[in-house]
Amino acid sequence: QKEVEQNSGPLSVPEGAIASLNCTYSDRGSQSFFWYRQYSGKSPELIMFIYSNGDKEDGRFTAQLNKASQYVSLLIRDSQPSDSATYLCAVLAGGYQKVTFGTGTKLQVIP
Amino acid sequence: DTGVSQDPRHKITKRGQNVTFRCDPISEHNRLYWYRQTLGQGPEFLTYFQNEAQLEKSRLLSDRFSAERPKGSFSTLEIQRTEQGDSAMYLCASSLPRDSKPLTDTQYFGPGTRLTVL
């Protein structure tokens, strides 16, 4: 079992719709969870992080965390073509351990 | 620009040659990470430093790879006797972990060095 799993996609949504990206992780001791966006040929850029169960909103982005289910998701409201990118989920396990990345989900927003 | 910088941005080399990459982290960050990323994959952890100490190396990192961070500031990643399988984007990230509950370690990435081994 991979430590951090994501559906590779592509996930296609029409412009203006809500895009839902999902991630599961295996280490129950994981404490912090990150979402990065990566455009083709570019390096990852941080969108947001979450560490408490529930929702965290930042503009059009909402991260959701359910530690009991070992599940974290990212919702993008009012999706725009500029949101088309690969979204990477990253997890920091308990203690001073390294962050582990998933393989990413490719999102395509269709105009 | 106060972000993470990497040099060079692109490197083309012949198989068997040695290459060295440099990473300059955000100035107050004490952690520095190296990752490798190939097409369609997420960043793959190689190694990381806390200040000048190398705390962990991936089992995937062969003895041809070596990294240093001599003064706890910039870091170098050297690949000796390059192979075609080393062709990838090499990413550097830095962070300043908070000693908080829960633990957070938000990493900021540099632009990467794209290595092509012919």
Side-chain angles (χ1 to χ4, degrees), chain A residues 44-77:
Chain A
E45 56 179 324
L46 180 72
I47 298 175
M48 60 193 308
F49 69 90
I50 186 169
Y51 48 81
S52 298
N53 274 326
D55 296 358
K56 179 181 179 181
E57 187 174 318
D58 184 359
R60 295 188 295 114
F61 299 97
T62 299
Q64 298 176 318
L65 175 61
N66 184 326
K67 289 187 178 181
S69 300
Q70 294 175 242
Y71 176 94
V72 58
S73 65
L74 179 71
L75 302 178
I76 306 175
R77 289 183 299 282

mmCIF file of all heavy atoms in Angstrom, chain A residues 44-77:
data_model
loop_
_atom_site.group_PDB
_atom_site.id
_atom_site.type_symbol
_atom_site.label_atom_id
_atom_site.label_comp_id
_atom_site.label_asym_id
_atom_site.label_seq_id
_atom_site.Cartn_x
_atom_site.Cartn_y
_atom_site.Cartn_z
ATOM 1 N N PRO A 44 6.163 22.564 -7.843
ATOM 2 C CA PRO A 44 4.925 22.647 -7.047
ATOM 3 C C PRO A 44 4.836 23.953 -6.273
ATOM 4 O O PRO A 44 5.848 24.465 -5.784
ATOM 5 C CB PRO A 44 5.057 21.455 -6.084
ATOM 6 C CG PRO A 44 6.041 20.529 -6.733
ATOM 7 C CD PRO A 44 7.000 21.417 -7.454
ATOM 8 N N GLU A 45 3.629 24.460 -6.148
ATOM 9 C CA GLU A 45 3.391 25.643 -5.332
ATOM 10 C C GLU A 45 2.294 25.316 -4.318
ATOM 11 O O GLU A 45 1.298 24.673 -4.642
ATOM 12 C CB GLU A 45 3.000 26.851 -6.184
ATOM 13 C CG GLU A 45 1.811 26.640 -7.081
ATOM 14 C CD GLU A 45 1.445 27.878 -7.885
ATOM 15 O OE1 GLU A 45 1.588 28.996 -7.354
ATOM 16 O OE2 GLU A 45 1.011 27.714 -9.037
ATOM 17 N N LEU A 46 2.506 25.774 -3.088
ATOM 18 C CA LEU A 46 1.587 25.458 -2.008
ATOM 19 C C LEU A 46 0.260 26.181 -2.193
ATOM 20 O O LEU A 46 0.224 27.382 -2.464
ATOM 21 C CB LEU A 46 2.208 25.862 -0.672
ATOM 22 C CG LEU A 46 1.365 25.599 0.570
ATOM 23 C CD1 LEU A 46 1.312 24.089 0.844
ATOM 24 C CD2 LEU A 46 1.933 26.336 1.777
ATOM 25 N N ILE A 47 -0.838 25.424 -2.066
ATOM 26 C CA ILE A 47 -2.163 26.032 -2.076
ATOM 27 C C ILE A 47 -2.622 26.249 -0.645
ATOM 28 O O ILE A 47 -3.019 27.347 -0.268
ATOM 29 C CB ILE A 47 -3.176 25.134 -2.818
ATOM 30 C CG1 ILE A 47 -2.771 24.970 -4.271
ATOM 31 C CG2 ILE A 47 -4.581 25.710 -2.704
ATOM 32 C CD1 ILE A 47 -3.656 23.998 -5.022
ATOM 33 N N MET A 48 -2.596 25.190 0.144
ATOM 34 C CA MET A 48 -3.018 25.319 1.528
ATOM 35 C C MET A 48 -2.633 24.077 2.317
ATOM 36 O O MET A 48 -2.272 23.062 1.742
ATOM 37 C CB MET A 48 -4.506 25.567 1.653
ATOM 38 C CG MET A 48 -5.405 24.497 1.090
ATOM 39 S SD MET A 48 -7.131 25.056 0.943
ATOM 40 C CE MET A 48 -7.491 25.669 2.561
ATOM 41 N N PHE A 49 -2.671 24.193 3.636
ATOM 42 C CA PHE A 49 -2.455 23.036 4.474
ATOM 43 C C PHE A 49 -3.544 22.973 5.531
ATOM 44 O O PHE A 49 -4.205 23.970 5.827
ATOM 45 C CB PHE A 49 -1.063 23.045 5.112
ATOM 46 C CG PHE A 49 -0.863 24.107 6.146
ATOM 47 C CD1 PHE A 49 -1.146 23.859 7.486
ATOM 48 C CD2 PHE A 49 -0.360 25.344 5.790
ATOM 49 C CE1 PHE A 49 -0.952 24.835 8.441
ATOM 50 C CE2 PHE A 49 -0.165 26.324 6.747
ATOM 51 C CZ PHE A 49 -0.457 26.073 8.079
ATOM 52 N N ILE A 50 -3.717 21.787 6.085
ATOM 53 C CA ILE A 50 -4.758 21.564 7.086
ATOM 54 C C ILE A 50 -4.246 20.551 8.084
ATOM 55 O O ILE A 50 -3.463 19.647 7.725
ATOM 56 C CB ILE A 50 -6.074 21.081 6.403
ATOM 57 C CG1 ILE A 50 -7.216 20.980 7.404
ATOM 58 C CG2 ILE A 50 -5.863 19.755 5.679
ATOM 59 C CD1 ILE A 50 -8.583 20.766 6.736
ATOM 60 N N TYR A 51 -4.635 20.697 9.350
ATOM 61 C CA TYR A 51 -4.232 19.705 10.345
ATOM 62 C C TYR A 51 -5.351 19.351 11.316
ATOM 63 O O TYR A 51 -5.200 18.466 12.144
ATOM 64 C CB TYR A 51 -2.988 20.149 11.115
ATOM 65 C CG TYR A 51 -3.038 21.552 11.646
ATOM 66 C CD1 TYR A 51 -3.705 21.861 12.813
ATOM 67 C CD2 TYR A 51 -2.397 22.568 10.970
ATOM 68 C CE1 TYR A 51 -3.736 23.141 13.292
ATOM 69 C CE2 TYR A 51 -2.419 23.872 11.449
ATOM 70 C CZ TYR A 51 -3.099 24.149 12.608
ATOM 71 O OH TYR A 51 -3.127 25.434 13.085
ATOM 72 N N SER A 52 -6.469 20.055 11.245
ATOM 73 C CA SER A 52 -7.596 19.726 12.120
ATOM 74 C C SER A 52 -8.712 19.094 11.310
ATOM 75 O O SER A 52 -8.950 19.486 10.161
ATOM 76 C CB SER A 52 -8.135 20.987 12.801
ATOM 77 O OG SER A 52 -7.152 21.561 13.618
ATOM 78 N N ASN A 53 -9.413 18.153 11.907
ATOM 79 C CA ASN A 53 -10.563 17.555 11.241
ATOM 80 C C ASN A 53 -11.576 18.640 10.859
ATOM 81 O O ASN A 53 -11.778 19.614 11.593
ATOM 82 C CB ASN A 53 -11.262 16.552 12.160
ATOM 83 C CG ASN A 53 -10.650 15.178 12.077
ATOM 84 O OD1 ASN A 53 -10.181 14.750 11.030
ATOM 85 N ND2 ASN A 53 -10.635 14.473 13.197
ATOM 86 N N GLY A 54 -12.183 18.463 9.696
ATOM 87 C CA GLY A 54 -13.177 19.420 9.258
ATOM 88 C C GLY A 54 -12.724 20.129 7.994
ATOM 89 O O GLY A 54 -11.935 19.604 7.225
ATOM 90 N N ASP A 55 -13.268 21.305 7.796
ATOM 91 C CA ASP A 55 -13.018 22.079 6.584
ATOM 92 C C ASP A 55 -12.161 23.299 6.878
ATOM 93 O O ASP A 55 -12.245 23.901 7.956
ATOM 94 C CB ASP A 55 -14.343 22.553 5.974
ATOM 95 C CG ASP A 55 -15.216 21.408 5.503
ATOM 96 O OD1 ASP A 55 -14.783 20.236 5.619
ATOM 97 O OD2 ASP A 55 -16.324 21.674 5.013
ATOM 98 N N LYS A 56 -11.362 23.652 5.889
ATOM 99 C CA LYS A 56 -10.594 24.898 5.947
ATOM 100 C C LYS A 56 -10.744 25.571 4.592
ATOM 101 O O LYS A 56 -10.457 24.971 3.568
ATOM 102 C CB LYS A 56 -9.127 24.615 6.245
ATOM 103 C CG LYS A 56 -8.266 25.874 6.295
ATOM 104 C CD LYS A 56 -6.806 25.517 6.574
ATOM 105 C CE LYS A 56 -5.938 26.757 6.602
ATOM 106 N NZ LYS A 56 -4.509 26.425 6.842
ATOM 107 N N GLU A 57 -11.207 26.816 4.619
ATOM 108 C CA GLU A 57 -11.501 27.507 3.367
ATOM 109 C C GLU A 57 -10.505 28.634 3.126
ATOM 110 O O GLU A 57 -10.093 29.330 4.058
ATOM 111 C CB GLU A 57 -12.926 28.080 3.432
ATOM 112 C CG GLU A 57 -13.430 28.678 2.145
ATOM 113 C CD GLU A 57 -14.896 29.092 2.238
ATOM 114 O OE1 GLU A 57 -15.691 28.333 2.814
ATOM 115 O OE2 GLU A 57 -15.220 30.194 1.754
ATOM 116 N N ASP A 58 -10.126 28.794 1.857
ATOM 117 C CA ASP A 58 -9.257 29.901 1.459
ATOM 118 C C ASP A 58 -9.650 30.294 0.053
ATOM 119 O O ASP A 58 -9.267 29.633 -0.917
ATOM 120 C CB ASP A 58 -7.790 29.473 1.528
ATOM 121 C CG ASP A 58 -6.843 30.630 1.212
ATOM 122 O OD1 ASP A 58 -7.323 31.746 0.929
ATOM 123 O OD2 ASP A 58 -5.616 30.412 1.246
ATOM 124 N N GLY A 59 -10.459 31.334 -0.056
ATOM 125 C CA GLY A 59 -10.930 31.760 -1.365
ATOM 126 C C GLY A 59 -11.796 30.694 -2.007
ATOM 127 O O GLY A 59 -12.745 30.206 -1.402
ATOM 128 N N ARG A 60 -11.437 30.302 -3.217
ATOM 129 C CA ARG A 60 -12.220 29.275 -3.926
ATOM 130 C C ARG A 60 -11.844 27.853 -3.497
ATOM 131 O O ARG A 60 -12.439 26.886 -3.955
ATOM 132 C CB ARG A 60 -12.013 29.425 -5.431
ATOM 133 C CG ARG A 60 -12.549 30.728 -6.016
ATOM 134 C CD ARG A 60 -12.483 30.720 -7.542
ATOM 135 N NE ARG A 60 -11.118 30.669 -8.038
ATOM 136 C CZ ARG A 60 -10.608 29.641 -8.708
ATOM 137 N NH1 ARG A 60 -11.347 28.558 -8.963
ATOM 138 N NH2 ARG A 60 -9.363 29.675 -9.146
ATOM 139 N N PHE A 61 -10.850 27.724 -2.653
ATOM 140 C CA PHE A 61 -10.356 26.407 -2.245
ATOM 141 C C PHE A 61 -10.852 26.040 -0.849
ATOM 142 O O PHE A 61 -10.858 26.873 0.055
ATOM 143 C CB PHE A 61 -8.823 26.389 -2.241
ATOM 144 C CG PHE A 61 -8.198 26.660 -3.577
ATOM 145 C CD1 PHE A 61 -7.756 27.928 -3.919
ATOM 146 C CD2 PHE A 61 -8.058 25.641 -4.514
ATOM 147 C CE1 PHE A 61 -7.182 28.178 -5.153
ATOM 148 C CE2 PHE A 61 -7.479 25.883 -5.745
ATOM 149 C CZ PHE A 61 -7.040 27.151 -6.065
ATOM 150 N N THR A 62 -11.263 24.790 -0.697
ATOM 151 C CA THR A 62 -11.622 24.248 0.609
ATOM 152 C C THR A 62 -10.925 22.907 0.776
ATOM 153 O O THR A 62 -11.071 22.024 -0.069
ATOM 154 C CB THR A 62 -13.143 24.040 0.742
ATOM 155 O OG1 THR A 62 -13.799 25.294 0.609
ATOM 156 C CG2 THR A 62 -13.481 23.435 2.103
ATOM 157 N N ALA A 63 -10.154 22.776 1.841
ATOM 158 C CA ALA A 63 -9.551 21.486 2.183
ATOM 159 C C ALA A 63 -10.415 20.837 3.247
ATOM 160 O O ALA A 63 -10.927 21.511 4.148
ATOM 161 C CB ALA A 63 -8.131 21.675 2.694
ATOM 162 N N GLN A 64 -10.596 19.535 3.123
ATOM 163 C CA GLN A 64 -11.387 18.779 4.079
ATOM 164 C C GLN A 64 -10.543 17.634 4.613
ATOM 165 O O GLN A 64 -9.894 16.934 3.838
ATOM 166 C CB GLN A 64 -12.645 18.223 3.397
ATOM 167 C CG GLN A 64 -13.575 19.289 2.851
ATOM 168 C CD GLN A 64 -14.757 18.696 2.097
ATOM 169 O OE1 GLN A 64 -14.596 17.744 1.331
ATOM 170 N NE2 GLN A 64 -15.929 19.256 2.311
ATOM 171 N N LEU A 65 -10.568 17.451 5.924
ATOM 172 C CA LEU A 65 -9.769 16.397 6.549
ATOM 173 C C LEU A 65 -10.647 15.518 7.421
ATOM 174 O O LEU A 65 -11.431 16.025 8.234
ATOM 175 C CB LEU A 65 -8.645 17.001 7.392
ATOM 176 C CG LEU A 65 -7.779 16.038 8.199
ATOM 177 C CD1 LEU A 65 -7.051 15.046 7.287
ATOM 178 C CD2 LEU A 65 -6.788 16.809 9.059
ATOM 179 N N ASN A 66 -10.499 14.209 7.251
ATOM 180 C CA ASN A 66 -11.182 13.232 8.080
ATOM 181 C C ASN A 66 -10.137 12.221 8.536
ATOM 182 O O ASN A 66 -9.780 11.300 7.801
ATOM 183 C CB ASN A 66 -12.301 12.547 7.294
ATOM 184 C CG ASN A 66 -13.111 11.581 8.142
ATOM 185 O OD1 ASN A 66 -12.580 10.939 9.046
ATOM 186 N ND2 ASN A 66 -14.383 11.468 7.856
ATOM 187 N N LYS A 67 -9.632 12.418 9.739
ATOM 188 C CA LYS A 67 -8.536 11.566 10.225
ATOM 189 C C LYS A 67 -9.018 10.146 10.512
ATOM 190 O O LYS A 67 -8.263 9.195 10.355
ATOM 191 C CB LYS A 67 -7.908 12.169 11.469
ATOM 192 C CG LYS A 67 -7.087 13.425 11.187
ATOM 193 C CD LYS A 67 -6.348 13.886 12.428
ATOM 194 C CE LYS A 67 -5.490 15.100 12.121
ATOM 195 N NZ LYS A 67 -4.747 15.553 13.325
ATOM 196 N N ALA A 68 -10.263 9.994 10.918
ATOM 197 C CA ALA A 68 -10.770 8.652 11.199
ATOM 198 C C ALA A 68 -10.768 7.809 9.933
ATOM 199 O O ALA A 68 -10.452 6.613 9.963
ATOM 200 C CB ALA A 68 -12.176 8.738 11.786
ATOM 201 N N SER A 69 -11.092 8.422 8.819
ATOM 202 C CA SER A 69 -11.112 7.719 7.531
ATOM 203 C C SER A 69 -9.786 7.838 6.789
ATOM 204 O O SER A 69 -9.645 7.260 5.709
ATOM 205 C CB SER A 69 -12.237 8.258 6.656
ATOM 206 O OG SER A 69 -13.485 8.084 7.279
ATOM 207 N N GLN A 70 -8.841 8.603 7.335
ATOM 208 C CA GLN A 70 -7.525 8.810 6.714
ATOM 209 C C GLN A 70 -7.704 9.345 5.301
ATOM 210 O O GLN A 70 -7.156 8.796 4.334
ATOM 211 C CB GLN A 70 -6.712 7.507 6.760
ATOM 212 C CG GLN A 70 -6.378 7.120 8.199
ATOM 213 C CD GLN A 70 -5.680 5.772 8.293
ATOM 214 O OE1 GLN A 70 -6.198 4.838 8.905
ATOM 215 N NE2 GLN A 70 -4.521 5.683 7.715
ATOM 216 N N TYR A 71 -8.420 10.414 5.231
ATOM 217 C CA TYR A 71 -8.868 10.958 3.950
ATOM 218 C C TYR A 71 -8.761 12.472 3.999
ATOM 219 O O TYR A 71 -9.154 13.105 4.977
ATOM 220 C CB TYR A 71 -10.322 10.514 3.787
ATOM 221 C CG TYR A 71 -11.060 11.012 2.592
ATOM 222 C CD1 TYR A 71 -11.118 10.246 1.431
ATOM 223 C CD2 TYR A 71 -11.740 12.212 2.619
ATOM 224 C CE1 TYR A 71 -11.828 10.682 0.335
ATOM 225 C CE2 TYR A 71 -12.456 12.658 1.540
ATOM 226 C CZ TYR A 71 -12.497 11.882 0.395
ATOM 227 O OH TYR A 71 -13.215 12.308 -0.683
ATOM 228 N N VAL A 72 -8.204 13.047 2.933
ATOM 229 C CA VAL A 72 -8.148 14.500 2.817
ATOM 230 C C VAL A 72 -8.557 14.853 1.392
ATOM 231 O O VAL A 72 -8.222 14.134 0.443
ATOM 232 C CB VAL A 72 -6.745 15.034 3.191
ATOM 233 C CG1 VAL A 72 -5.659 14.432 2.327
ATOM 234 C CG2 VAL A 72 -6.692 16.541 3.129
ATOM 235 N N SER A 73 -9.289 15.930 1.248
ATOM 236 C CA SER A 73 -9.757 16.312 -0.077
ATOM 237 C C SER A 73 -9.572 17.806 -0.290
ATOM 238 O O SER A 73 -9.373 18.573 0.653
ATOM 239 C CB SER A 73 -11.218 15.920 -0.279
ATOM 240 O OG SER A 73 -12.039 16.647 0.613
ATOM 241 N N LEU A 74 -9.631 18.189 -1.546
ATOM 242 C CA LEU A 74 -9.552 19.591 -1.941
ATOM 243 C C LEU A 74 -10.703 19.876 -2.889
ATOM 244 O O LEU A 74 -10.862 19.183 -3.888
ATOM 245 C CB LEU A 74 -8.212 19.894 -2.631
ATOM 246 C CG LEU A 74 -8.033 21.335 -3.098
ATOM 247 C CD1 LEU A 74 -7.842 22.261 -1.892
ATOM 248 C CD2 LEU A 74 -6.820 21.451 -4.035
ATOM 249 N N LEU A 75 -11.499 20.878 -2.540
ATOM 250 C CA LEU A 75 -12.581 21.314 -3.409
ATOM 251 C C LEU A 75 -12.192 22.655 -4.023
ATOM 252 O O LEU A 75 -11.702 23.542 -3.322
ATOM 253 C CB LEU A 75 -13.887 21.480 -2.624
ATOM 254 C CG LEU A 75 -14.407 20.245 -1.885
ATOM 255 C CD1 LEU A 75 -15.678 20.591 -1.133
ATOM 256 C CD2 LEU A 75 -14.667 19.107 -2.858
ATOM 257 N N ILE A 76 -12.421 22.771 -5.317
ATOM 258 C CA ILE A 76 -12.182 24.029 -6.013
ATOM 259 C C ILE A 76 -13.521 24.490 -6.566
ATOM 260 O O ILE A 76 -14.095 23.853 -7.450
ATOM 261 C CB ILE A 76 -11.162 23.867 -7.161
ATOM 262 C CG1 ILE A 76 -9.872 23.226 -6.639
ATOM 263 C CG2 ILE A 76 -10.860 25.224 -7.791
ATOM 264 C CD1 ILE A 76 -8.857 22.909 -7.738
ATOM 265 N N ARG A 77 -14.007 25.583 -6.021
ATOM 266 C CA ARG A 77 -15.300 26.119 -6.484
ATOM 267 C C ARG A 77 -15.079 27.016 -7.686
ATOM 268 O O ARG A 77 -14.006 27.600 -7.864
ATOM 269 C CB ARG A 77 -15.969 26.907 -5.366
ATOM 270 C CG ARG A 77 -16.483 26.051 -4.227
ATOM 271 C CD ARG A 77 -17.199 26.936 -3.190
ATOM 272 N NE ARG A 77 -16.302 27.933 -2.627
ATOM 273 C CZ ARG A 77 -15.408 27.661 -1.689
ATOM 274 N NH1 ARG A 77 -15.290 26.432 -1.222
ATOM 275 N NH2 ARG A 77 -14.624 28.613 -1.230
#
